[in-house]
Amino acid sequence: MNNRFRTRAVTSAPSLRSAWITTVAVFVVLIAAVGAIALLGLRHQQHEFTATTGELQDTTEAMVVLERAMVEVFEPMLDYLYRYGGDDGIAVAWERYVERSQDVAQGFDVAGSALGDGPGRAELEEAREHWSAVDAAVRSSFDDVSDAELRAVLESGAEDPFLETVWEPHDEVDRELAAVRQATVAGLGDLVEEADRTGTFVGTFVLWSLVVAIGVALVAARRMSRRVLRPLAEVGRAAGSLDGTEQREPVEVPRAVAEVRELARIVNETSVTMRNHHSLLRTQARTDSMTALPNRSGFAEALHGMLDGADRGRVAVLFIDLDDFKEVNDTLGHAAGDEVLRVVALRLRAVTSGCEVAARLGGDEFAVAFDVGSDPTEATAVAERVRLAIAGSVDIHGHQAVVGCSIGIAVSAVDATSANSDELLGNADFAMYMAKSQGKNRYELFSPQLHTEVHARMELGRDLTEALQRDQFVLHYQPVVNLPSGELLGFEALIRWQHPSRGLVAPDGFIGLAEDSGAIVPIGAWVLDRACAELAGMHAEAPHLTMGVNVSPRELVVPGFVQGVVETLARHGVAPGHLMIEITEETAMTNTRAGADAIAALRSLGVHIALDDFGTGYSSLRYLGDLPVNEIKIDRSFVNSRDPHSTSTMESIVHLAQRLGLFVVAEGIEDAEDLDRLARFGHIAGQGYHFARPMPADEARALAERSSLRPVATES
Ligand code: C2E
Ligand code: CA
Ligand code: CA
């Protein structure tokens, strides 16, 4: 993975260090070159000036000397000739001339060397030639003329023979020398012009060098930005957004300097490493370490995916909970429990194919999710397959742990999305709970109605815990009469719940809940107390009346139950023989030792025991003699029935009971026809809407007062 970045970084990229050094070096060289060239130019110019002015000085000095020599060359000679013209005058003048003409020759030599080959040289040579002519003419004059002749000429006032040949060439020489001066000055102008050109050149050169330097600086800045700053910013951005969560393109800086490319490579490598770590962590966070199945979050993620998936069929979720797993832990130890979970995971994995997601949600809870397409009933088939796969024993060091599970099934709505996933899992959980409550080792399919009912029940269950303190219970009393006379024998106390929002709730709606939660124990105690209090009141007018009180099996087994009954009877001064404890056939048959003991104890105290709803439970006719009861209450399904078979069953029951000396009460006599069918049984008691519905306490009391006078039946 690293090679990709490394190979790129290796291709020769200039380093920032070398780029920087190059840039600085270019600058230094450039500036040094500019400085050197400018310096050389100035030096050259200065030199030129110095040379020019030196030359000018030499030339001027030499020319001055020459010109003075020229002016003075004849003066002493003539002076002598014209003023002292003696006998040896010519010889003396000659001497003086020779002296001075040597100065002239020397002046020419000096001027010649001062001028060199420069301008004015030609003019000087011409002047020298003319001078030679003058000199030759003067010399020949000395040769040709004697002192005497000269004196004669001078005395006659004639033209000077001596010099007349000289003046003209002498003038010529003067002109030539002037030309020399002129040429020298002209040459000087050229030199100045040249020096000027050098100055201009140096200035231009410096200016251009500056332009080039600025250009180089701009290019360097551009390169710096392209190779360093921009790539660095890009790498910086990439580094700043490193979080390892998402797949990102590696940052590429092909034009950057080596250091920045190295930095980019490190950032890219770090990104890859972080991503790998992150995905490892993600996987770990979504996997259950014990079973290697997805855990709760892994399952949730998979479920989201299925619900939002493209083909959007319906998704079924199985919520699986092992039955009695706690027992395995408690009896075989936690290591054994872990082993069971691992085996269950293997079995689950084996039975769920690729398209299904199996997970361990935690503890002994597992879940499976799968697409059910358009046929939701497929879900139950899968649930059964899973249930059978998981069920079986697990060998733990020779001990066999029996494994089974309860499964709740929930199927998503057609338009469900991942937003519904929690709800779906919750529904499956709920259905699992229902499967548990219906006997375990089974599956249950979630339905909204069931959910609503159970929820209502649960709500009611919560309210129930407070109903007693809030005094929300009341007792209604239903008369029990002698047949066929209708004479009042007593009442059965029937509880009602005055629910603050639901109104009067019948016992079928909450007794089961109270039994489940245990609330039935204090409620039952309250019923017994209220019923006895009421009966005691009635006894003032009609002391023969009895009171039936329904008791749940759960109450019977509570220690101290019998003691409680005794105390209640004593508290209200009711004789035990007037209390009728009604237990169901089922209770009597299956009750525990404690229950049986309680019944026996009550009976020995003189309390009457009635077998309620007789005929609905066990076909227990043959056990009837063994049951510890004084009375049977025949279920209203027989009493109401127009079916001859039911009637004959009822007939057998009544005859058998009568033969065993048990008192018989027919429940649910709703009309005269029901009453007629019972006529042939002779002395039995009855209870039903035909005589009276369960009624509030005050009405029951009023009825009790009148009962001493006449039977209820004659009233309606
Ligand atoms: P149960 O002991 O069999 O009580 C008789 C039920 O039949 C009463 O219903 C009564 O109203 C009803 N009934 C009476 N005559 C007729 C009739 O002619 N036709 C019809 N269709 N029904 C008739 P209720 O009051 O709703 O009580 C239902 C059950 O609740 C009782 O059945 C009893 O098992 C239980 N129960 C009532 N009060 C208590 C109590 O205080 N403790 C316990 N543990 N259970 C109670
Ligand atoms: Ca009853
Ligand atoms: Ca009954």
Side-chain angles (χ1 to χ4, degrees):
M1 103 196 143
N2 298 346
N3 293 346
R4 196 147 69 101
F5 305 116
R6 205 157 261 152
T7 45
R8 270 191 205 135
V10 160
T11 56
S12 68
S15 72
L16 181 58
R17 194 182 146 80
S18 72
W20 183 243
I21 287 173
T22 309
T23 307
V24 170
V26 164
F27 243 87
V28 167
V29 166
L30 198 71
I31 285 177
V34 168
I37 290 172
L39 206 66
L40 282 176
L42 287 176
R43 282 280 300 271
H44 176 70
Q45 196 186 21
Q46 193 188 20
H47 177 78
E48 214 128 276
F49 267 117
T50 319
T52 310
T53 43
E55 237 167 69
L56 185 64
Q57 198 178 346
D58 289 354
T59 316
T60 312
E61 270 171 17
M63 288 307 288
V64 167
V65 170
L66 177 61
E67 279 180 55
R68 182 176 298 147
M70 194 61 76
V71 170
E72 286 175 355
V73 73
F74 299 127
E75 221 173 271
M77 176 188 81
L78 290 178
D79 207 29
Y80 189 81
L81 274 182
Y82 294 122
R83 273 196 282 151
Y84 309 101
D87 291 338
D88 57 349
I90 291 192
V92 175
W94 168 248
E95 247 170 65
R96 292 188 176 171
Y97 173 73
V98 170
E99 223 172 88
R100 291 297 170 104
S101 70
Q102 272 167 357
D103 287 349
V104 172
Q106 207 179 347
F108 267 111
D109 285 347
V110 172
S113 65
L115 278 175
D117 290 332
R121 176 69 191 213
E123 286 83 351
L124 187 72
E125 289 310 319
E126 247 170 86
R128 196 199 286 262
E129 258 168 55
H130 281 113
W131 165 252
S132 299
V134 172
D135 189 44
V138 172
R139 280 168 196 272
S140 72
S141 293
F142 276 109
D143 289 344
D144 295 348
V145 181
S146 66
D147 285 330
E149 279 170 332
L150 178 63
R151 219 173 299 136
V153 171
L154 289 173
E155 280 167 5
S156 69
E159 195 71 16
D160 178 5
F162 197 78
L163 289 175
E164 64 191 2
T165 49
V166 176
W167 296 123
E168 209 178 316
H170 191 268
D171 283 349
E172 203 64 40
V173 173
D174 273 350
R175 274 196 300 277
E176 298 296 346
L177 289 181
V180 170
R181 260 200 316 276
Q182 223 172 350
T184 323
V185 171
L188 184 70
D190 284 352
L191 280 177
V192 168
E193 222 169 81
E194 175 145 1
D196 235 20
R197 269 203 302 279
T198 310
T200 314
F201 169 75
V202 170
T204 316
F205 175 78
V206 169
L207 194 72
W208 275 108
S209 299
L210 268 177
V211 170
V212 170
I214 289 170
V216 167
L218 285 177
V219 169
R222 217 175 100 88
R223 276 163 63 111
M224 188 67 107
S225 150
R226 225 179 42 192
R227 307 193 130 199
V228 180
L229 298 180
R230 269 189 273 159
L232 208 55
E234 213 170 301
V235 173
R237 268 196 302 279
S241 60
L242 274 186
D243 62 359
T245 49
E246 52 188 80
Q247 170 91 31
R248 65 171 71 252
E249 281 298 304
V251 54
E252 304 248 20
V253 282
R255 290 198 291 199
V257 293
E259 288 90 338
V260 176
R261 288 170 66 163
E262 176 63 9
L263 203 60
R265 184 187 67 77
I266 291 169
V267 166
N268 288 337
E269 253 178 45
T270 309
S271 164
V272 171
T273 314
M274 276 175 77
R275 205 167 56 241
N276 290 347
H277 281 209
H278 195 266
S279 73
L280 190 68
L281 283 178
R282 262 173 71 100
T283 314
Q284 280 171 356
R286 278 160 177 67
T287 309
D288 170 50
S289 56
M290 181 162 29
T291 60
L293 289 176
N295 62 12
R296 188 177 281 273
S297 33
F299 181 75
E301 199 177 70
L303 185 57
H304 281 202
M306 292 172 95
L307 286 168
D308 289 338
D311 43 343
R312 277 289 206 81
R314 299 173 74 171
V315 176
V317 170
L318 306 185
F319 196 108
I320 304 159
D321 189 288
L322 301 188
D323 292 335
D324 308 318
F325 179 69
K326 197 176 167 310
E327 266 169 39
V328 176
N329 268 339
D330 290 350
T331 56
L332 299 175
H334 283 269
D338 289 353
E339 183 56 24
V340 166
L341 292 176
R342 275 190 285 269
V343 170
V344 167
L346 285 177
R347 291 176 182 172
L348 194 58
R349 213 194 274 277
V351 79
T352 50
S353 65
C355 63
E356 294 155 347
V357 180
R360 177 174 172 235
L361 301 181
D364 62 342
E365 291 174 351
F366 294 83
V368 176
F370 50 97
D371 270 307
V372 281
S374 54
D375 180 17
T377 57
E378 197 190 301
T380 56
V382 176
E384 182 60 6
R385 206 171 75 211
V386 168
R387 189 186 70 78
L388 290 174
I390 289 178
S393 59
V394 175
D395 183 277
I396 305 214
H397 307 306
H399 296 277
Q400 297 301 310
V402 179
V403 178
C405 66
S406 302
I407 302 177
I409 310 166
V411 179
S412 70
V414 190
D415 56 352
T417 65
S418 57
N420 306 99
S421 72
D422 283 351
E423 185 192 350
L424 189 59
L425 190 61
N427 289 348
D429 188 3
F430 177 82
M432 184 280 294
Y433 173 78
M434 296 312 296
K436 286 264 188 218
S437 70
Q438 276 161 43
K440 304 180 180 174
N441 192 27
R442 52 185 289 140
Y443 65 77
E444 201 64 47
L445 181 63
F446 175 85
S447 83
Q449 303 93 284
L450 185 72
H451 190 247
T452 322
E453 280 166 28
V454 171
H455 259 269
R457 260 177 80 82
M458 279 164 63
E459 224 167 70
L460 216 56
R462 276 196 296 276
D463 294 350
L464 196 59
T465 55
E466 294 169 347
L468 201 58
Q469 290 103 290
R470 297 188 176 176
D471 201 21
Q472 289 172 347
F473 293 117
V474 288
L475 288 184
H476 280 192
Y477 301 90
Q478 187 176 35
V480 180
V481 300
N482 214 348
L483 295 185
S485 68
E487 176 202 355
L488 183 65
L489 297 174
F491 292 91
E492 178 180 2
L494 295 162
I495 193 170
R496 273 97 182 87
W497 179 12
Q498 274 171 326
H499 191 276
S501 60
R502 291 167 195 242
L504 206 63
V505 182
D508 288 336
F510 64 91
I511 289 295
L513 273 178
E515 286 176 336
D516 288 347
S517 71
I520 192 68
V521 175
I523 293 172
W526 177 85
V527 170
L528 184 69
D529 184 74
R530 272 280 4 104
C532 288
E534 203 55 54
L535 184 64
M538 290 172 179
H539 277 173
E541 301 293 332
H544 65 285
L545 296 180
T546 60
M547 182 63 76
V549 172
N550 296 283
V551 172
S552 290
R554 219 172 144 168
E555 295 174 70
L556 276 179
V557 298
V558 171
F561 172 72
V562 177
Q563 187 58 32
V565 174
V566 171
E567 283 169 13
T568 308
L569 289 172
R571 192 161 56 245
H572 297 291
V574 172
H578 289 105
L579 177 64
M580 196 75 69
I581 296 280
E582 300 190 7
I583 58 171
T584 59
E585 191 183 354
E586 218 169 314
T587 313
M589 291 291 292
T590 61
N591 215 343
T592 55
R593 175 98 229 139
D597 288 352
I599 291 166
L602 289 170
R603 268 192 59 146
S604 65
L605 282 169
V607 174
H608 285 239
I609 306 292
L611 206 51
D612 211 350
D613 304 340
F614 192 81
T616 53
Y618 299 77
S619 48
S620 53
L621 270 184
R622 52 200 170 110
Y623 301 116
L624 202 51
D626 305 330
L627 292 175
V629 298
N630 312 90
E631 177 181 317
I632 60 165
K633 299 186 81 166
I634 299 171
D635 194 74
R636 71 162 179 274
S637 54
F638 295 99
V639 177
N640 291 162
S641 179
R642 271 114 175 98
D643 172 18
H645 180 71
S646 283
T647 310
S648 67
T649 308
M650 181 167 66
E651 206 173 317
S652 337
I653 292 171
V654 174
H655 285 143
L656 181 62
Q658 283 173 337
R659 227 180 306 137
L660 290 169
L662 299 176
F663 191 64
V664 175
V665 181
E667 287 189 303
I669 303 165
E670 291 187 336
D671 48 35
E673 208 182 323
D674 292 342
L675 191 58
D676 279 351
R677 250 179 284 128
L678 296 164
R680 60 184 123 144
F681 298 130
H683 181 64
I684 63 166
Q687 187 180 346
Y689 296 168
H690 180 60
F691 300 104
R693 289 181 177 255
M695 57 189 75
D698 49 352
E699 285 180 35
R701 224 173 295 135
L703 185 66
E705 279 167 25
R706 275 174 287 145
S707 72
S708 55
L709 306 173
R710 51 196 167 124
V712 186
T714 56
E715 224 184 27
S716 49

